[in-house]
Amino acid sequence: MTKSNSTSESLFPSSYPDFVYNFSYGANMFPNVLSGRRKTHPIESIPGVLEGWQLTFDLRGIPALEPCFGNIKENPDAEVHGILHKMTGKQFKYLLTTEGGSGVNPNGYIPHKVNVHAYDGRIIEAYTLVVRRISPSIASHHVLPSVRYMSLLRNGAAHHKIHPLYIEYLQSLPSFERSKPVMILVIFEILLLIIFSSPVWIPVVIYYVCTNQKAQARAYFFSLIMVNSWRIYRFLGASRVFQPYYSAPFPLGSTNFKENTETFRTQVQIDEQTLPDTITDILPESNTSSPISQTTIQRKNS
């Protein structure tokens, strides 16, 4: 086993539990993306907050089309709000293949375990997708996301009723308005890049396909296109397309989440008593410093 393969296997488990939660902070918050484009239908979707992390836009995309995508990095003074999607382990493994890196490339999104405070008071262990800071796919500066991409985050947050202050935060972030003439030029450039680099990528892709490694084939091909697109733009001096900026983090505790959750949890417990198809096990309050005790809700049919 090569070092590369060993690294990949350590970052991407070969199997997952029967059911997992995926904490989505980007485009997968929007139902049309998750259920439509990615063909993943979650069992439940609930808002939550991940403390000690910051939303960034530093995963490189294709200049002038989708210059960058969402990512998160650790920051003890920040928090990220998003959606906890419950799905089967098989669904989550498939979801990884539709993301940047195709679930096999260590330089793309990798699954990372985190503890997320759900809005209903539970503390849920979930997988979130993170691009490592050592990855060459990370831009040296944040680049402006497209208006299209940011609308997915904003609409997804509004759909799932994420805290209004966080929605305002998303709305305050700048975005890049794509120009149709430039888009056409970039598409033409990509087609030329695919044609002229075909002697390089065709043998590699054929090898991966013939050895039943289709995910590796996708990861290799798209990485080739993205990396060389950025090289061409740098060579042409089109640095203005990148429009670097550093987005301010959403400050930790801005929504008084833990304090507000106590009131919310009380209402949830009252509501649960009126639901005949649920069995609720409310753990007793502990004397620890955390004001939130974990609530487990187990459905009979699960």
Side-chain angles (χ1 to χ4, degrees):
M1 181 184 294
T2 64
K3 182 178 179 180
S4 177
N5 288 337
S6 177
T7 301
S8 179
E9 288 185 9
S10 65
L11 295 175
F12 301 98
S14 58
S15 63
Y16 294 91
D18 292 339
F19 296 96
V20 301
Y21 279 92
N22 168 231
F23 179 70
S24 299
Y25 52 83
N28 285 343
M29 290 194 295
F30 193 50
N32 287 1
V33 173
L34 187 64
S35 302
R37 184 192 313 163
R38 305 197 191 282
K39 304 185 187 306
T40 300
H41 302 275
I43 299 169
E44 70 169 341
S45 298
I46 54 176
V49 57
L50 176 60
E51 298 179 339
W53 292 76
Q54 173 187 345
L55 179 66
T56 65
F57 298 95
D58 53 10
L59 174 60
R60 293 177 183 174
I62 297 178
L65 291 181
E66 290 293 349
C68 62
F69 299 99
N71 187 24
I72 57 175
K73 68 177 182 179
E74 292 188 80
N75 181 344
D77 298 319
E79 66 184 33
V80 177
H81 289 241
I83 308 301
L84 285 157
H85 297 298
K86 184 179 181 181
M87 61 187 70
T88 66
K90 185 177 180 181
Q91 283 179 311
F92 180 66
K93 195 168 184 178
Y94 170 76
L95 179 64
L96 281 175
T97 67
T98 69
E99 295 286 357
S102 300
V104 294
N105 187 345
N107 292 323
Y109 286 112
I110 62 171
H112 183 77
K113 278 187 179 182
V114 292
N115 290 321
V116 181
H117 294 268
Y119 278 23
D120 64 8
R122 289 177 289 171
I123 301 177
I124 297 177
E125 184 179 72
Y127 286 100
T128 192
L129 301 184
V130 180
V131 181
R132 297 181 299 169
R133 309 312 302 171
I134 61 173
S135 170
S137 300
I138 293 290
S140 57
H141 294 280
H142 292 232
V143 290
L144 286 175
S146 70
V147 171
R148 185 203 70 86
Y149 183 74
M150 283 304 302
S151 69
L152 296 178
L153 274 67
R154 294 161 181 161
N155 292 337
H159 175 85
H160 289 287
K161 296 180 173 56
I162 281 181
H163 198 287
L165 286 179
Y166 193 79
I167 295 178
E168 288 183 19
Y169 164 72
L170 292 178
Q171 292 172 340
S172 72
L173 299 177
S175 53
F176 170 71
E177 184 66 60
R178 299 184 299 185
S179 166
K180 287 187 177 180
V182 175
M183 288 174 60
I184 293 173
L185 182 63
V186 171
I187 292 173
F188 181 70
E189 170 213 328
I190 292 174
L191 291 175
L192 289 178
L193 179 60
I194 292 173
I195 293 172
F196 287 117
S197 62
S198 58
V200 176
W201 65 262
I202 287 180
V204 178
V205 170
I206 290 177
Y207 167 76
Y208 280 135
V209 172
C210 292
T211 55
N212 198 28
Q213 300 182 76
K214 294 182 180 179
Q216 284 85 348
R218 286 194 299 270
Y220 171 80
F221 179 76
F222 286 112
S223 177
L224 179 75
I225 298 303
M226 288 186 181
V227 169
N228 286 287
S229 295
W230 283 84
R231 286 174 177 170
I232 291 173
Y233 268 76
R234 285 199 184 93
F235 177 76
L236 296 177
S239 58
R240 67 181 183 277
V241 177
F242 306 145
Q243 301 187 53
Y245 85 104
Y246 288 97
S247 61
F250 189 71
L252 182 68
S254 295
T255 59
N256 294 322
F257 173 77
K258 290 184 177 180
E259 178 182 341
N260 293 337
T261 299
E262 284 297 316
T263 302
F264 186 83
R265 238 181 88 239
T266 302
Q267 184 61 46
V268 169
Q269 294 176 20
I270 294 174
D271 292 343
E272 284 167 354
Q273 295 173 4
T274 66
L275 298 177
D277 63 334
T278 62
I279 300 177
T280 306
D281 179 19
I282 304 297
L283 298 179
E285 292 288 333
S286 65
N287 294 323
T288 61
S289 59
S290 174
I292 300 178
S293 63
Q294 187 170 351
T295 302
T296 303
I297 301 175
Q298 180 179 8
R299 295 186 179 274
K300 288 182 179 180
N301 296 328
S302 62

